[in-house]
Amino acid sequence: MIMTNFARLNQAMGLQRSSASSKQKVQPIAEVLIKNDENSGDLSLASITSDLHDISNPNKPIPSDLAYNSWVVEHPSALGSFDRMMKAAKGKRIVVFLDYDGTLSPIVDDPDRAFMSDEMRAAVREVAKYFPTAVISGRSRDKVKEFVQLSNVYYAGSHGMDIMVPPRPLRPCDANNHTTAMDIKGSDVLFQPAKRFLPAIQEIRTQLEEITRKVEGARVEDNRFCISVHFRKVREEDYGILEEKVKSVVGKYPEFHLTLGKKVLEIRPSIEWNKGHALEYLLDTLGFSNSSDVLPLYIGDDRTDEDAFKVIRSRGQGFPIIVSSTPKEDTKACYSLHDPSEVLTFLLRLARWRKASSSSRSLAQIWGVGSNLPRSV
């Protein structure tokens, strides 16, 4: 249920500061989640919390940097943990999944200008040379493909409700027995489980565009199988007005529901399909669903990415990585990156690691040694 008071928006998204006492300890993932080395020199929970409380003023707010550092103890940096993560990945195959907004590009006021940098594009291209790589976004598939501009990655738009993949061993999963729609577009297979909702989605979009015209700063974005109402430029005193207008439209369509993102309201069909299902579908389609040696690596920053994090946890192995500059206590991610600049550094390091592993493996094969080197992907 969307909060009536949009002034509490950050709290609803889990972006508020909180004390160390409310921490939920992240449980290790079998074989993959590497515990912090007590002798590594990293900040310990005890050393951080000892600085969090002023005895003379126990109600004094915790500085945001201290709260974040305390949270990072439970959700260690994927950069600081990189060597240990790759050690755990030895002999296994990594499949990379990436969110777009807030992960590959910064969050910006104008959603049409959420461009990724040339450096980020080059990093994703390099990663995709060595690992199967997919971008899963809430944007329309065509829009995110226009932003990314790469032909060697897979694209899933509308929070996974619009997926295009090559027709390589195709074994579509339908875990929730809903109607699936599949089409052949040239040499690609198009998977759209919400296709039957398209007429209603266009009706809703038309009505939302009409009623939001008088709310200054509001913007409606057609994401094909879902609709976004952006309010990053809306005055705070108009939040409630905008919310009521949007709810008045969505209430006419019982097969749709309203969710809250980062300064955006999203209207989606009420089907059992999300980014977690999209991750499973892509693994299945690419022939990895029954492989015990596959490690999904998912990087995302939004609440919708939590569904993918949950899937990775349920598999018992993989790397769920959240991008956040503030503590998110309820995340299912095991690792963290501070912002898109750290995502760039991580991706470049991942590609260099794989390239070095391939070079070492080739040399080892020439000399007839190195049976324990990383397995090729």
Side-chain angles (χ1 to χ4, degrees):
M1 180 177 180
I2 305 300
M3 298 177 62
T4 302
N5 184 3
F6 271 37
R8 299 176 60 196
L9 187 60
N10 284 344
Q11 292 182 339
M13 291 189 293
L15 297 179
Q16 73 277 17
R17 288 182 288 181
S18 60
S19 66
S21 61
S22 63
K23 301 262 176 291
Q24 293 182 358
K25 184 174 180 60
V26 176
Q27 297 300 318
I29 289 184
E31 298 183 7
V32 176
L33 179 56
I34 308 302
K35 295 181 179 179
N36 288 331
D37 186 346
E38 295 179 353
N39 299 317
S40 64
D42 293 340
L43 291 174
S44 68
L45 184 58
S47 66
I48 293 174
T49 55
S50 65
D51 294 328
L52 295 183
H53 303 287
D54 185 340
I55 296 177
S56 64
N57 185 7
N59 295 319
K60 183 179 179 180
I62 300 172
S64 59
D65 56 341
L66 291 179
Y68 182 78
N69 289 341
S70 179
W71 176 77
V72 168
V73 171
E74 301 290 337
H75 306 84
S77 166
L79 290 174
S81 306
F82 185 85
D83 290 339
R84 286 172 285 169
M85 292 167 67
M86 295 305 103
K87 183 178 180 181
K90 188 174 182 179
K92 299 181 182 294
R93 295 179 290 177
I94 295 175
V95 183
V96 177
F97 299 91
L98 303 166
D99 178 35
Y100 184 76
D101 292 276
T103 300
L104 298 181
S105 73
I107 299 293
V108 296
D109 289 342
D110 184 352
D112 285 336
R113 300 191 63 80
F115 303 121
M116 65 190 300
S117 66
D118 291 338
E119 293 80 5
M120 183 69 83
R121 182 173 296 105
V124 176
R125 181 188 295 112
E126 193 70 10
V127 166
K129 288 181 182 178
Y130 301 106
F131 309 99
T133 301
V135 177
I136 305 179
S137 172
R139 304 279 194 138
S140 70
R141 178 174 49 80
D142 290 339
K143 186 67 175 179
V144 73
K145 188 174 182 178
E146 179 184 325
F147 277 139
V148 177
Q149 299 177 22
L150 293 175
S151 59
N152 62 340
V153 303
Y154 306 106
Y155 294 96
S158 304
H159 299 291
M161 289 183 284
D162 189 7
I163 305 175
M164 181 173 283
V165 293
R168 307 170 13 161
L170 183 62
R171 296 175 298 167
C173 57
D174 187 16
N176 298 286
N177 297 316
H178 60 72
T179 301
T180 61
M182 300 185 65
D183 297 301
I184 303 296
K185 299 293 184 181
S187 60
D188 294 322
V189 174
L190 195 60
F191 178 73
Q192 298 174 331
K195 190 173 183 178
R196 68 184 179 90
F197 293 98
L198 279 177
I201 290 172
Q202 293 310 309
E203 289 180 14
I204 295 172
R205 179 185 58 79
T206 300
Q207 294 180 50
L208 288 174
E209 289 176 340
E210 179 65 30
I211 67 171
T212 58
R213 285 176 182 170
K214 295 182 179 180
V215 180
E216 185 178 355
R219 185 180 180 283
V220 176
E221 182 180 10
D222 183 356
N223 288 318
R224 180 72 169 155
F225 292 99
C226 59
I227 304 169
S228 299
V229 180
H230 299 274
F231 57 92
R232 191 167 294 275
K233 292 185 176 181
V234 174
R235 295 177 301 179
E236 187 173 346
E237 55 266 34
D238 292 335
Y239 285 175
I241 296 173
L242 178 62
E243 178 194 7
E244 290 306 315
K245 287 180 177 292
V246 173
K247 289 172 68 175
S248 69
V249 172
V250 179
K252 303 175 187 176
Y253 296 85
E255 291 186 308
F256 289 79
H257 66 280
L258 190 63
T259 60
L260 180 64
K262 291 183 176 179
K263 295 286 186 177
V264 62
L265 292 167
E266 293 188 312
I267 297 88
R268 287 191 265 171
S270 298
I271 64 172
E272 287 295 323
W273 195 265
N274 52 46
K275 288 186 176 182
H277 294 106
L279 183 151
E280 291 179 313
Y281 173 82
L282 284 164
L283 287 176
D284 185 57
T285 302
L286 299 175
F288 295 130
S289 61
N290 296 319
S291 302
S292 60
D293 63 344
V294 170
L295 300 182
L297 186 155
Y298 190 107
I299 307 178
D301 76 306
D302 199 29
R303 295 171 68 185
T304 56
D305 299 310
E306 293 293 331
D307 294 314
F309 296 159
K310 291 175 185 177
V311 167
I312 294 177
R313 277 187 169 273
S314 70
R315 289 175 61 89
Q317 55 182 6
F319 302 113
I321 305 172
I322 189 169
V323 182
S324 180
S325 59
T326 56
K328 290 190 176 181
E329 301 298 339
D330 58 350
T331 183
K332 297 299 182 182
C334 298
Y335 298 94
S336 66
L337 291 168
H338 188 268
D339 50 36
S341 67
E342 287 201 354
V343 175
L344 172 61
T345 302
F346 180 88
L347 293 177
L348 288 172
R349 192 170 177 184
L350 181 65
R352 285 197 300 266
W353 172 83
R354 189 62 188 88
K355 185 176 182 180
S357 299
S358 298
S359 299
S360 298
R361 185 180 180 87
S362 297
L363 288 173
Q365 289 174 341
I366 292 174
W367 294 102
V369 297
S371 60
N372 292 322
L373 291 173
R375 176 177 173 176
S376 60
V377 180

